[in-house]
């Protein structure tokens, strides 16, 4: 939207960190508009940070405000299918998200990443390696800082993680390069089927100059795309691939070796695919990934993502709380080097997922399956060792006396956290605290 003159009334639907960033953005860059906030929660996060001139309707919808709006900006947590929002859409009033506002505003280059798993690591590492080329890089979106809070005239490059929820309400985001990492069952409580989820993800390519896709996952390929489609793979030939060179595994870029895998500190095969994606994104954006190789060599990944939080008496405690779906837990298990017993903590809010793909992988491991949380019972049939607990603390208290050298205690729950925790970070922090106490 280049002409804001016709916009007098904006309704921000859903507060929280994203809604608050929208309100702040409008106050700075479009101070002439009237901003009102609707949140169905009585006391939403971010409420105390609003200035006193912002009027709020809390505890439900206000159809009158929605009907009067020239523009409605919805939080990613609110589905477009929500009846009150559908009524606005049908009336012809634009309904957008924060990323669409960002797209209207930004003139600098943008790289974006989506996928069911790995996108936070790819986004973070892309930003760090791009910065090694001397660029002023701003990283955020669905990770860390909301996109609208990143806006600054000094920024040379924006790197955004984008969720399917954010992409649903984004129409005009121009990207130098976009990556779709993988697709697996997730958010089936929001989408009618996995194809609807895929189509939401594919929106990332709508105005991208180059599409980075997973050669090992055909679902990531755009149905139609006019620009270059660049592939990555850790199992077959691709533009960016894994290959043996002089008896050692090496990450390759267009047939040329870049770095040996043994030089990386990242754990797990899935992280090799993540690094290849970073190479592809930077290359397509015209940024030298070789300038960032020293950064890559020292990179240990993100907190709550296969993070070793304690290693004492030969017992490793691994925090993979970010594994909120089955595919993410499968990725964590595929990268393990196991010398003793794996005590795997799973459970939480399952979001309607099918957990059965875990069974054959678990059967191939020396594992004790420890299930907890609201949907913990759904894991019991996956392995003979499975035991049900009420809480994560109950699990640790029970298994701690049994641990011996070579064992791994891993929280990789394949579920969301909000039955017992504020978010996956709080769950991971709680696990780390328990690890420090019992290790």
């Amino acid at each position: 939207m280049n002409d804001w003159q016709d916009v007098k009334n904006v309704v921000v639907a859903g507060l929280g960190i994203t809604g608050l960033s929208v309100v702040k953005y409008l106050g700075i860059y479009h101070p002439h508009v009237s901003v009102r906030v609707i949140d169905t929660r009585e006391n939403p996060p971010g409420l105390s940070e609003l200035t006193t001139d912002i009027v709020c309707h809390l505890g439900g919808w206000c159809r009158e405000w929605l009907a009067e709006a020239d523009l409605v900006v919805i939080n990613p947590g609110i589905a477009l299918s929500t009846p009150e929002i559908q009524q606005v859409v049908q009336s012809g009033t634009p309904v957008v998200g924060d990323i669409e506002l960002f797209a209207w505003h930004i003139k600098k280059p943008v790289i974006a990443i989506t996928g069911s798993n790995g996108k936070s690591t790819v986004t973070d590492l892309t930003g760090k390696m791009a910065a090694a080329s001397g660029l002023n890089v701003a990283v955020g979106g669905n990770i860390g800082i909301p996109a609208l809070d990143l806006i600054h005239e000094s920024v040379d490059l924006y790197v955004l993680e984008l969720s399917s929820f954010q992409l649903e309400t984004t129409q005009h985001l121009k990207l130098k390069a976009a990556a779709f990492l993988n697709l697996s069952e997730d958010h089936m409580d929001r989408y009618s089927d996995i194809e609807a989820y895929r189509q939401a993800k594919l929106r990332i390519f709508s105005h991208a100059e180059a599409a980075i896709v997973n050669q090992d996952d055909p679902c990531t390929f755009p149905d139609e795309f006019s620009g270059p489609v660049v592939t990555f793979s850790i199992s077959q030939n691709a533009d960016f691939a894994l290959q043996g060179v002089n008896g050692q595994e090496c990450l390759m870029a267009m047939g040329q070796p870049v770095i040996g895998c043994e030089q990386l500190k990242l754990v797990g095969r899935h992280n090799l695919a993540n690094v290849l994606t970073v190479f592809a994104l930077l290359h397509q954006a015209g940024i030298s990934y070789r300038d960032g190789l020293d950064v890559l060599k020292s990179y240990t990944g993100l907190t709550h993502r296969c993070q070793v939080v304690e290693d004492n008496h030969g017992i490793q405690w691994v925090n993979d709380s970010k594994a909120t779906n089955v595919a993410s837990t499968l990725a964590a298990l595929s990268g393990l080097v196991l010398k003793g017993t794996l005590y795997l903590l799973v459970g939480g809010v399952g979001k309607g997922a099918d957990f059965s793909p875990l069974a054959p992988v678990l059967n191939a491991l020396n594992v004790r399956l420890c299930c907890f949380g609201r949907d913990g019972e759904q894991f019991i049939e996956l392995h003979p060792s499975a035991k049900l607990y009420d809480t994560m603390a109950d699990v640790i208290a029970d298994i701690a006396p049994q641990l011996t050298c070579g064992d791994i205690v891993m929280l990789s729950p394949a579920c969301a956290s909000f039955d017992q925790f504020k978010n996956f970070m709080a769950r991971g922090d709680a696990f780390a605290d328990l690890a420090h106490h019992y290790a």
Side-chain angles (χ1 to χ4, degrees):
M1 183 183 294
N2 296 320
D3 185 8
W4 279 82
Q5 291 182 352
D6 295 332
V7 178
K8 300 292 189 289
N9 296 303
V10 177
V11 167
V12 178
L15 201 52
I17 187 172
T18 302
L20 193 62
S21 74
V22 172
V23 174
K24 289 178 180 176
Y25 167 81
L26 293 171
I28 294 169
Y29 295 100
H30 302 284
H32 71 283
V33 305
S34 170
V35 179
R36 296 189 283 194
V37 173
I38 297 174
D39 200 298
T40 57
R41 296 166 290 187
E42 293 287 353
N43 187 27
L47 184 62
S48 62
E49 296 181 54
L50 287 179
T51 54
T52 54
D53 59 316
I54 302 297
V55 184
C56 299
H57 179 93
L58 304 175
W61 290 98
C62 182
R63 291 177 183 268
E64 182 182 350
W65 285 10
L66 291 171
E68 292 171 354
D70 302 311
L71 177 69
V72 175
V73 185
I74 67 171
N75 191 290
I78 300 172
L80 275 171
S81 58
T82 303
E84 290 81 1
I85 298 301
Q86 272 302 300
Q87 192 170 4
V88 176
V89 171
Q90 289 162 14
S91 75
T93 300
V95 176
V96 302
D98 67 309
I99 303 302
E100 181 68 2
L101 296 186
F102 177 88
W104 294 347
H105 187 103
I106 289 300
K107 300 294 188 288
K108 299 290 181 64
V110 185
I111 290 172
I113 299 99
T114 195
S116 299
N117 297 294
K119 54 187 179 290
S120 295
T121 297
V122 172
T123 303
D124 185 59
L125 183 55
T126 299
K128 285 180 165 59
M129 291 186 68
S133 291
L135 299 174
N136 183 7
V137 184
V139 178
N142 192 50
I143 175 181
I145 303 171
L148 292 172
D149 286 349
L150 297 174
I151 294 173
H152 195 278
E153 59 185 17
S154 68
V155 173
D156 300 312
L157 173 72
Y158 294 93
V159 182
L160 301 182
E161 173 186 318
L162 298 179
S163 70
S164 58
F165 297 172
Q166 289 172 311
L167 288 165
E168 285 177 25
T169 53
T170 302
Q171 289 83 37
H172 299 98
L173 182 62
K174 294 180 179 178
L175 301 171
K176 294 298 292 183
F180 186 173
L181 305 181
N182 46 58
L183 184 75
S184 61
E185 190 180 71
D186 199 4
H187 304 301
M188 290 300 102
D189 51 349
R190 171 113 164 205
Y191 294 102
S192 57
D193 54 29
I194 197 163
E195 180 57 25
Y197 175 43
R198 173 178 177 259
Q199 288 300 324
K201 293 281 193 191
L202 285 173
R203 293 174 66 90
I204 199 169
F205 296 135
S206 296
H207 300 284
E209 292 181 24
I212 316 300
V213 298
N214 187 347
Q215 186 72 51
D216 303 326
D217 189 348
C219 291
T220 63
F221 283 67
D223 298 328
E224 294 181 10
F225 191 75
S226 58
V229 176
V230 180
T231 57
F232 67 90
S233 172
I234 58 171
S235 65
Q236 53 186 311
N237 289 331
D239 299 312
F240 293 80
L242 194 61
Q243 188 175 315
V245 178
N246 298 325
Q248 292 186 325
E249 278 195 317
C250 192
L251 298 178
M252 311 288 290
M254 295 158 294
Q256 299 299 312
V258 179
I259 189 171
C261 295
E262 77 284 352
Q263 296 183 67
L264 305 184
K265 289 188 177 180
L266 284 167
V267 174
R269 306 288 290 178
H270 59 295
N271 274 321
L272 299 179
N274 290 339
V275 174
L276 291 169
T277 308
V278 174
F279 290 171
L281 283 165
L282 294 175
H283 177 75
Q284 291 304 133
I287 301 165
S288 170
Y289 48 81
R290 293 188 182 275
D291 288 348
L293 290 184
D294 284 342
V295 170
L296 173 60
K297 289 174 186 177
S298 62
Y299 187 73
T300 56
L302 292 169
T303 307
H304 309 297
R305 293 159 182 83
C306 288
Q307 175 200 22
V308 178
V309 292
E310 194 68 59
D311 189 345
N312 200 11
H313 305 299
I315 302 163
Q316 282 193 325
W317 300 71
V318 180
N319 171 19
D320 191 36
S321 184
K322 184 63 170 65
T324 58
N325 57 47
V326 172
S328 191
T329 297
L330 287 170
L333 295 176
S334 72
L336 281 183
V337 177
L338 190 59
K339 297 175 183 176
T341 301
L342 170 66
Y343 291 82
L344 180 64
L345 279 63
V346 294
V349 180
K351 300 178 288 184
D354 173 16
F355 300 115
S356 61
L358 288 168
V361 178
L362 294 173
N363 286 331
L365 294 171
N366 180 18
V367 67
R368 289 271 304 279
L369 192 62
C370 307
C371 318
F372 71 97
R374 193 186 81 181
D375 293 331
E377 195 170 357
Q378 295 184 25
F379 292 85
I380 293 296
E381 300 299 321
L382 299 182
H383 196 269
S385 71
K387 184 175 178 180
L388 185 63
Y389 301 82
D390 288 334
T391 68
M392 184 167 65
D394 292 339
V395 175
I396 303 301
D398 184 41
I399 67 173
Q402 308 166 39
L403 300 175
T404 59
C405 182
D407 290 347
I408 295 177
V409 182
M410 174 182 273
L411 170 67
S412 188
C415 288
S417 59
F418 47 80
D419 57 334
Q420 297 182 346
F421 299 94
K422 182 180 178 181
N423 50 43
F424 75 83
M425 295 88 80
R427 178 172 62 188
D429 290 341
F431 175 80
D433 288 343
L434 289 165
H436 299 327
H437 177 75
Y438 283 98

